[in-house]
Amino acid sequence: MFFILLKREFRLLYKKKTELLQLLVFILLGLLIFPLAAGPERALLTSAGRGYMWIIQLFMIFLSGKLFYEEDYRDGSLEQLFLQIPALEMLIIAKYIAYSLNLILISLISLPFLGLLFGIEPGTLLKTAASLIIGIPCLAVIGGFGASLTLGSRKAGLITPIILTPLYIPVLIFSVGSDNFWSDTTILAALFLLIAPLSVFFSALALKIAIRE
C-alpha cells in the first residue's frame, strides 16, 4: 500500500511539471540576481554563496507548500484516502519523500550555476550538495506540517511563514555552517530524525481535523 501511495505522489508531481519548472527558474533567477546586485566583489560572492542558496531554498519551500495537500483537499481525494488506507501517516510519509526528492533534484541541477556565478570551488560545492540532500528533507517536513496546519485557510500564504520561520532557523544555521562541516551535517541529520516523526504525527492530526470539518 505504501509503495502505491508513493507512486501516486510521484505521478501527481510529474503532472505538475510546470510548477516544478517554475521552482527551477526561481532558483536560477535568484542565483543570477545576487551577483548582479553585489557587483564584482569576488570574495563577497564566494563567502555569501552557500548562505544565499539556503535563503532561496527557504523561499522555495514557502512557494511550493501548496503541492502537499491543497489539490487533494479540494478535489476530495484526501477524504477518500483517509477512508481507504490503514493510516494517514503512510500518505504523509509518501508525500514527504516525493516532495523532498523532487526539490533535491531541482537544487542539485542548479548547483553548477551557483559555482559559476559565485566562484565557489568544487570541494565546497560538494559540501553544499551534501547539506542540501540532508537539509531539504528537514525543511520539507516542517513545511508539510505548516501546510497541514493551515489547510483550507484563505490566509495560509500569510500565516505559514509566520508560524514556521522560527522552526526553520536551526536547520538553516547548521546547513550554512562550513567551519565544522561533519559535525554540522551530523546535527542536521539528528534534527531530521527528531523533526520528521513529530511532523508526521501532528500533520496526521491536523489533516484528520480538516477532513472532519
Side-chain angles (χ1 to χ4, degrees), residues 23 26 54-65 139:
L23 293 179
F26 174 78
W54 275 101
I55 295 298
I56 293 176
Q57 297 297 322
L58 182 59
F59 281 104
M60 189 168 64
I61 292 287
F62 287 146
L63 290 173
S64 60
L139 298 181

Side-chain angles (χ1 to χ4, degrees), residues 29-82:
L29 289 178
L31 292 176
L32 181 63
I33 288 171
F34 186 82
L36 293 176
E41 293 293 334
R42 205 64 179 176
L44 174 62
L45 292 176
T46 302
S47 61
R50 288 189 65 193
Y52 185 66
M53 181 66 168
W54 275 101
I55 295 298
I56 293 176
Q57 297 297 322
L58 182 59
F59 281 104
M60 189 168 64
I61 292 287
F62 287 146
L63 290 173
S64 60
K66 63 181 181 180
L67 296 178
F68 278 105
Y69 308 111
E70 184 177 324
E71 185 172 330
D72 285 344
Y73 179 73
R74 285 187 299 178
D75 65 11
S77 299
L78 190 60
E79 184 175 357
Q80 292 299 317
L81 289 168
F82 174 66

Side-chain angles (χ1 to χ4, degrees), residues 2 6 23 48 90 102 136 158 173:
F2 174 75
L6 186 60
L23 293 179
M90 294 173 60
N102 275 278
I136 285 177
L158 176 63
I173 289 173

Side-chain angles (χ1 to χ4, degrees), residues 134-152:
I134 300 174
I136 285 177
C138 289
L139 298 181
V141 295
I142 296 173
F145 168 65
S148 66
L149 199 63
T150 58
L151 187 62

Side-chain angles (χ1 to χ4, degrees), residues 47-203:
S47 61
R50 288 189 65 193
Y52 185 66
M53 181 66 168
W54 275 101
I55 295 298
I56 293 176
Q57 297 297 322
L58 182 59
F59 281 104
M60 189 168 64
I61 292 287
F62 287 146
L63 290 173
S64 60
K66 63 181 181 180
L67 296 178
F68 278 105
Y69 308 111
E70 184 177 324
E71 185 172 330
D72 285 344
Y73 179 73
R74 285 187 299 178
D75 65 11
S77 299
L78 190 60
E79 184 175 357
Q80 292 299 317
L81 289 168
F82 174 66
L83 297 173
Q84 293 174 8
I85 61 178
L88 200 55
E89 287 82 358
M90 294 173 60
L91 175 65
I92 295 170
I93 294 172
K95 284 184 176 292
Y96 284 173
I97 293 174
Y99 179 80
S100 297
L101 289 178
N102 275 278
L103 287 191
I104 288 171
L105 178 61
I106 291 171
S107 300
L108 292 181
I109 290 173
S110 68
L111 271 185
F113 295 93
L114 177 70
L116 179 64
L117 294 172
F118 288 77
I120 298 177
E121 298 178 354
T124 304
L125 279 181
L126 288 176
K127 291 181 179 180
T128 304
S131 66
L132 287 171
I133 291 171
I134 300 174
I136 285 177
C138 289
L139 298 181
V141 295
I142 296 173
F145 168 65
S148 66
L149 199 63
T150 58
L151 187 62
S153 173
R154 295 181 180 179
K155 298 181 179 179
L158 176 63
I159 297 173
T160 304
I162 296 174
I163 296 174
L164 298 184
T165 297
L167 301 178
Y168 286 129
I169 290 175
V171 178
L172 294 177
I173 289 173
F174 292 107
S175 299
V176 176
S178 57
D179 294 334
N180 301 298
F181 172 74
W182 293 112
S183 62
D184 289 341
T185 303
T186 302
I187 293 173
L188 198 59
L191 280 174
F192 174 75
L193 294 176
L194 174 64
I195 295 170
L198 293 174
S199 175
V200 171
F201 176 75
F202 287 110
S203 294

